Amino acid sequence: MYKSLLSAGVPLIIVVLCEWYGKMFSCVRWNNSISHMFSVGSGVRQGSCLSPVIFNVFMNAFVVNVKAAGIGCHIVNMFFGCLLHADDIMLLSPSVSGLQSMLDNCNKTAQDLSLKFNIHKSHCMVIGKAAVMDIGQMKLGGQDIQWYQSVKYLGVYLMAGKKLCFDLSPVKRAFYTACNSIFSHGSGLDEIALLHLQEVYSLSVLMYATPALLLTSQTNQ
């Protein structure tokens, strides 16, 4: 993290954070019992307003390294090959060989930052003409990444195919589950109270990220 801050042009005096982060301790509370204090050697301080900025500088190394390698998707002169949301990374490549190069690049960056990818939470999918082709396995750190027909990213289900589309079936199931749960536990409530609960807890499940989705007439039903 400190190397990332220095390479980003942060003045050396600011990197007194080493001293601040070198004195992080925590404990575990279980009912009325509290464990001994122990040192925390990784991660940013929880609740600090500075932590999101530090984390972004730290994770930005993935974007910088992939962009510098000249691989990934571009729109005109803008690079869109590596998208980050917290610790979720989405790689976009116009070719299979380019995607493998990006995976190798990210794996090398993770090793430099003392990080490790979770292969069980890593997925590959194809959007475009190559969706009907048989494509070999991608490798991340020597391990295979499986190809999927549907991938959940930031609460939205993306579907593989010739064009970008979304799967609303899991969202609808979650919506009906929330509705049924409220009805089954709210039999004694009046209609206004039930309607308010449905609006707060059920409708939000169905409408999550809807403005960002391109929905067809079929998916709207």
Side-chain angles (χ1 to χ4, degrees), residues 71-90:
I71 48 182
C73 287
H74 290 74
I75 299 179
V76 189
N77 294 324
M78 297 187 66
F79 176 70
F80 288 90
C82 185
L83 306 179
L84 287 177
H85 181 86
D87 59 348
D88 289 324
I89 301 177
M90 177 181 285

Side-chain angles (χ1 to χ4, degrees), residues 159-174:
M159 295 184 65
K162 293 185 177 180
K163 60 181 181 179
L164 178 63
C165 55
F166 306 93
D167 184 8
L168 295 186
S169 299
V171 177
K172 291 180 179 179
R173 288 195 295 269

Side-chain angles (χ1 to χ4, degrees), residues 97-174:
S97 58
L99 177 59
Q100 185 59 65
S101 297
M102 296 176 78
L103 290 170
D104 294 338
N105 190 295
C106 286
N107 185 62
K108 174 63 168 56
T109 302
Q111 292 177 347
D112 294 340
L113 296 177
S114 299
L115 298 177
K116 186 177 181 179
F117 286 103
N118 186 344
I119 196 68
H120 301 293
K121 293 184 178 181
S122 301
H123 312 84
C124 286
M125 67 182 304
V126 180
I127 299 175
K129 297 179 180 180
V132 297
M133 300 180 181
D134 185 16
I135 304 176
Q137 296 290 343
M138 298 289 98
K139 298 284 187 178
L140 180 60
Q143 294 181 289
D144 291 339
I145 303 180
Q146 301 298 320
W147 291 94
Y148 288 82
Q149 292 299 312
S150 177
V151 173
K152 183 180 180 181
Y153 183 70
L154 303 182
V156 176
Y157 291 84
L158 307 175
M159 295 184 65
K162 293 185 177 180
K163 60 181 181 179
L164 178 63
C165 55
F166 306 93
D167 184 8
L168 295 186
S169 299
V171 177
K172 291 180 179 179
R173 288 195 295 269

